[in-house]
Each structure stands twice: as C-alpha cells, then as structure tokens.
Amino acid sequence: MSGSGTASLRVTRSAEVYARALTRLPGGVNSPVRAMKAIGRTPLFVDRASGAEIIDVDGNRYVDWVCSWGPLLHGHAHPDVLAAVVAAAQRGTTFGAPTAAEVDLADEVARRMPAVPMLRMTSSGTEAAMSAIRLARAATGREKLLKFSGAYHGHVDGLLAEAGSGLATQALPASPGVRLAATQNTGIVPWNDAAAVRAATDAHEFAAILCEPYAANMGLVAPVDGFPELLRERATANGALLVFDEVITGFRVARGGAQELTGVSPDLTIMGKVIGGGLPAAAYGGPRELMERIAPAGDVYQAGTLSGNPLAVAAGLTALRMLDESAYARLAGTTEALATGLREAAASASVPVTVATAPGLLTVFFSAEPVRDLAGAQNCDLDAYGAWCRALLARGAYPPPSQFEAWFPSLAHGPEHVERTVEAAAAAFASL
C-alpha cells in the first residue's frame, strides 16, 4: 500500500519549529508519540484549539481525535473549565498546603467509584502507578507483580518490561537504563489469556495483579467475557491486590469508570487524565484500611510538591461535575457513529479493518480479525495504518499517530465532526 497525498498540507512553519526543537529537545518533542515517527512523518506543532478542533502553526485546521490523549472529555478550552482555572489562579497557583477543593474532588470521586472512598493525589499517572505498587507491596509484604503484555503503566522502572511467554516469566527491561533487578519481580502474561493467569497465580505469590480493565495502550482491546471476574477471583485466591489502572478509562467509559462497566471492584485504582480536566493531575485510591498506610497517616512514604495543585483540582472538579448520564449517552452515541462510519468507509474501499469501541474510546485496527491481545495488535498492517493516518491529516482529521494508541472522542465532537472525519477516512482508505 502506498502514499497518501500529504503534499496538500502546509507544513513550512511546523518544519521550522521542528528543526529548532531538535536542537533543544530530545527528538524534538517532550513525549515520544508526539514525534509521529510511527506513521512516517515529522510532527505538526499546534498553535491553538477550541472544542473538537485544533489549528497548527501553519494554519491547518483538524478535527482532533487525540484530545491530549484523553483528558479533554469536554473538548478543548471549555468555557466552564477555563473559568474555573482562571478563578483558581487569581487566588494563587500553588500553596504547598491543603485546600478545601482537594476534599471536594475526593468526595466527587468517591461518589462515582465506591471502591475509592479515600485517595491521594499526584501530578502524573506514572507517579500514581508507582505509588500504588509501593502500597500494594507494603500491604502484602510481597515483591512480585503480575502485569499484561502491551499494558503501559507509566515509565516506572519496574513496569517498563517486555512481554514474556504464556506463563509468568522474569521480565526483561524494555528500555536501556532500566536495571534487570528492577524488573525481575515483574511477571508478564498475555492480555485475555485466562490459562496464563491461572498458571501464573498458581506458581507465584504476587503483591498485585495490575491491569488496565480495558486495555488501551495496544490500541483498545476490551476484556473478553469473564476475564475481569477471573482477575478478581485469582487475586483474592492468591492474596494479591487487584489494581485497576484507570488513567485512560476512569470517568471516560462510564461515570464510575471501567469498574462500573465490568461490575468488578478492584482493591486499588489508579486515576489520571479526566480527573485533571486538562491540567496535570492523577491519583490513586482505595479503602481506608489500605490508604491509611500512606504517610502521614501511616508508614508508606509518598509526597509531591504540586500534588493537589489548585488549578488542576479546579479543572478536574468542574469537568467531573458536568459529566452526568446524558453526557455519557451522548459520548457513547458519538463514538458509535464514528465507528459505524469508519467501518462502512473501509468496507467500501475493500480495506480489511476491525474497529474496537468503548464509550469515548475507539481504535481502527488494520486487521481482518478482531484483536484480543498485544500479538494481535502487532500483527496489524502498520504500514497501511501509517499511510492512512498521513492521508487523514492531509484531509483535516487528526488521528492518533500510532496503531497502538486509542482515539478519544469528546463531548465537543458533533455530527458534523463525525461526517467530516468519515469523508476524510473514505478518501484515505481509497488512497491506499
């Protein structure tokens, strides 16, 4: 499959900024996927955004299906969120002291997630994941963790591990600089592989079983029927804590996150993205008896200068309070309308794809068969996906520039944005 007509994009200014960025930032970006290397092009530099659209420094306008990788459930620059941030900033941007709004945000989370009556805020999902694992090890007195191949839980040394075999194996570091000792207590099994989970939990005593309840870092791969229940049962039988990483799914796929959709209650929950309303914020939480092990209530140390930052708390609280049942119904409707249109466009062009969805999440896999795990995602036609993405960009639609990332529909996306995107996708499919 071949080219995509990217010449129609004006990229002069982006190219100039990228050339400068390469001299000051590693790879010219501050987070790897922004570089767009996976789709065979250089990055576009954004100038501004509003609602469901972004405009780059060359003046190109796009329907944005990345939405900052998930935080912007209400779209860009929502006036209520902006007003809350401005009002908070006028009172001071950070205090290094507690505020009442932090308690309000914890109350809002507890109302939505019964499994999280108490939480601790952090500034990033990586920090929250690291802290939750530390707590799980302290609570169980064990070292080993079980995670799933293709799952990303931040750039913590012990969680940056490659996939092993079908049984839990000693994991190898996935990045230079990560010591082998940091990953030797991390076991890895394939997602959706019940037999591998049973074998691993029969053979090892784990501190935690850590998962994204809807895997979304190999593209969106939902759990097969019964798999979340199996994880709950095996964690309990093993004496391990079941830890849900809901950085992506939390407050996006449902009012109470994926734990509401699955009906499975974890022991600890990791949250991020939506909880900050577009500003840097994350959290981890669970029952009081676990969370009161955290200092200063208990002996497990964790701290952060900007944890519970008043601007992020204001944005997150405002964003959550606007998410009622009608909002989730609209989000699910937009997601399904987009998925239906993309499926039909691919079929019309005889391009074999499968489109996976959950409310507010979507992935177009360039595979004729449904994707159940990392191996299935890796077997997709990555070159075709890259060419298709380049063609979408040339036609004013901004998809995630990686087969292994999810699309993030928002409440700012309307029927006209879906229609424009499906038209662009149909032309892009036809160009392959």
Side-chain angles (χ1 to χ4, degrees):
M1 294 185 178
S2 63
S4 55
T6 52
S8 62
L9 270 183
R10 301 182 300 274
V11 296
T12 305
R13 182 67 181 136
S14 273
E16 291 171 354
V17 179
Y18 183 51
R20 283 182 51 222
L22 286 170
T23 70
R24 298 296 185 192
L25 310 175
V29 292
N30 276 312
S31 191
V33 75
R34 301 176 191 177
M36 293 191 169
K37 283 187 175 182
I39 63 167
R41 62 155 301 135
T42 56
L44 300 172
F45 283 73
V46 175
D47 178 64
R48 62 193 186 276
S50 178
E53 299 184 357
I54 54 174
I55 301 173
D56 68 19
V57 292
D58 287 283
N60 301 301
R61 181 183 294 270
Y62 311 87
V63 179
D64 180 19
W65 296 103
V66 175
C67 287
S68 192
W69 303 103
L72 301 175
L73 198 51
H74 299 286
H76 294 277
H78 189 283
D80 290 355
V81 175
L82 290 183
V85 172
V86 169
Q90 288 173 337
R91 295 192 295 270
T93 59
T94 182
F95 309 119
T99 65
E102 295 167 65
V103 186
D104 294 338
L105 183 57
D107 281 342
E108 182 67 28
V109 171
R111 281 192 289 269
R112 291 167 172 268
M113 289 182 169
V116 188
M118 184 172 282
L119 64 76
R120 166 62 62 85
M121 293 201 70
T122 65
S123 295
S124 72
T126 292
E127 189 184 354
M130 173 186 72
S131 303
I133 292 306
R134 180 180 299 160
L135 176 57
R137 284 175 163 151
T140 61
R142 298 173 177 179
E143 292 288 323
K144 291 182 179 179
L145 306 173
L146 183 65
K147 70 179 288 285
F148 294 90
S149 53
Y152 176 73
H153 304 288
H155 54 273
V156 184
D157 278 5
L159 300 177
L160 272 183
E162 294 176 327
S165 65
L167 296 177
T169 64
Q170 178 171 304
L172 298 176
S175 170
V178 176
R179 297 173 299 113
L180 180 60
T183 60
Q184 66 183 0
N185 285 312
T186 304
I188 301 178
V189 295
W191 179 240
N192 280 326
D193 190 331
V197 172
R198 289 191 183 97
T201 50
D202 283 342
H204 303 274
E205 290 187 341
F206 291 107
I209 298 176
L210 174 62
C211 73
E212 299 173 273
Y214 275 62
N217 281 289
M218 56 185 95
L220 175 65
V221 183
V224 296
D225 286 348
F227 195 66
E229 292 83 357
L230 172 74
L231 298 182
R232 177 67 276 172
E233 184 272 321
R234 295 309 298 168
T236 301
N238 187 270
L241 300 186
L242 179 60
V243 182
F244 275 6
D245 181 342
E246 293 228 44
V247 167
I248 287 176
T249 56
F251 318 113
R252 169 171 284 275
V253 299
R255 184 176 186 275
Q259 53 199 264
E260 177 183 319
L261 287 189
T262 63
V264 172
S265 183
D267 298 300
L268 290 173
T269 300
I270 302 163
M271 296 155 278
K273 298 189 186 291
V274 174
I275 201 175
L279 273 69
Y284 61 105
R288 180 182 298 272
E289 59 269 23
L290 280 175
M291 294 305 296
E292 287 192 335
R293 288 293 305 272
I294 301 295
D299 55 354
V300 179
Y301 194 75
Q302 180 261 315
T305 298
L306 293 175
S307 296
N309 173 266
L311 275 61
V313 168
L317 191 54
T318 302
L320 288 178
R321 285 174 171 168
M322 290 191 290
L323 293 174
D324 56 16
E325 291 307 318
S326 66
Y328 286 108
R330 284 194 293 118
L331 183 66
T334 297
T335 305
E336 287 309 315
L338 177 62
T340 298
L342 293 173
R343 291 185 185 111
E344 292 173 351
S348 294
S350 299
V351 177
V353 304
T354 58
V355 182
T357 66
L361 291 169
L362 178 150
T363 296
V364 181
F365 287 111
F366 273 67
S367 166
E369 300 298 325
V371 172
R372 289 169 47 100
D373 54 20
L374 177 62
Q378 291 173 328
N379 285 333
C380 291
D381 189 336
L382 304 185
D383 289 339
Y385 182 85
W388 185 65
C389 284
R390 296 193 301 272
L392 280 176
L393 287 166
R395 292 165 173 83
Y398 194 102
S402 168
Q403 176 69 96
F404 305 109
E405 301 283 357
W407 298 46
F408 292 95
S410 79
L411 291 163
H413 288 95
E416 69 280 9
H417 299 110
V418 172
E419 183 179 351
R420 282 164 54 190
T421 301
V422 171
E423 288 178 359
F429 281 127
S431 75
L432 297 180

